[in-house]
Amino acid sequence: MTTNKVKKTDAEWRAMLDSMQYEVTRHAATERAFTGKFWDHHAHGIYTCVCCNTPLFASDTKFDSGCGWPSYFQALDPANVTEIVDRTHGMLRTEIVCAVCDAHLGHVFPDGPPPTGLRYCINSASLRFDPQP
């Protein structure tokens, strides 16, 4: 993706996001499992970043992983997500952030279905949904 980075002040992020969206995207919080609006969502469309509307995941890559968060087996465009080594909470994980605005999205794990074997475990609070015909 060739879009310029989206930068806002903390006050600007707070003004545009609700409290859960702000904590998840700007401070890497995690919503409780089975509580987000997209964990059991099955409509056809594109999931975009709640902070900058960058297209992140297509509904046809979403699957039920049983973890309580929306899960996808691939990003819509790998250039739209950035992987970061995450050593918090005594674990070694791969954090996923939006490549355009650095919003925390969730984590990616190597235990997903074919064809990629990946499970992008994403907070609903970091997403918007754009229905497609």
Side-chain angles (χ1 to χ4, degrees):
M1 180 165 228
T2 58
T3 304
N4 291 331
K5 281 280 200 180
V6 171
K7 301 279 186 185
K8 295 182 185 271
T9 66
D10 187 63
E12 289 172 318
W13 289 125
R14 281 183 186 274
M16 71 173 279
L17 302 168
D18 70 30
S19 61
M20 179 60 77
Q21 292 168 334
Y22 174 78
E23 288 303 321
V24 167
T25 61
R26 307 326 305 173
H27 294 288
T30 301
E31 63 197 7
R32 287 189 346 241
F34 304 102
T35 63
K37 65 182 174 181
F38 297 126
W39 80 268
D40 193 28
H41 185 254
H42 303 288
H44 182 72
I46 302 296
Y47 295 88
T48 65
C49 177
V50 73
C51 294
C52 69
N53 286 321
T54 296
L56 299 171
F57 301 98
S59 60
D60 60 357
T61 66
K62 191 172 189 288
F63 69 100
D64 182 3
S65 67
C67 70
W69 291 277
S71 297
Y72 309 86
F73 61 78
Q74 72 183 29
L76 191 61
D77 180 345
N80 291 356
V81 296
T82 301
E83 296 184 4
I84 300 169
V85 174
D86 178 1
R87 290 188 170 91
T88 61
H89 308 294
M91 297 180 271
L92 178 58
R93 301 178 292 174
T94 304
E95 179 185 10
I96 300 301
V97 300
C98 175
V100 175
C101 69
D102 297 325
H104 171 76
L105 304 171
H107 292 84
V108 63
F109 301 96
D111 60 0
T116 64
L118 298 174
R119 175 174 55 99
Y120 288 86
C121 185
I122 307 299
N123 289 281
S124 289
S126 67
L127 300 173
R128 281 200 176 106
F129 182 70
D130 181 15
Q132 304 287 309

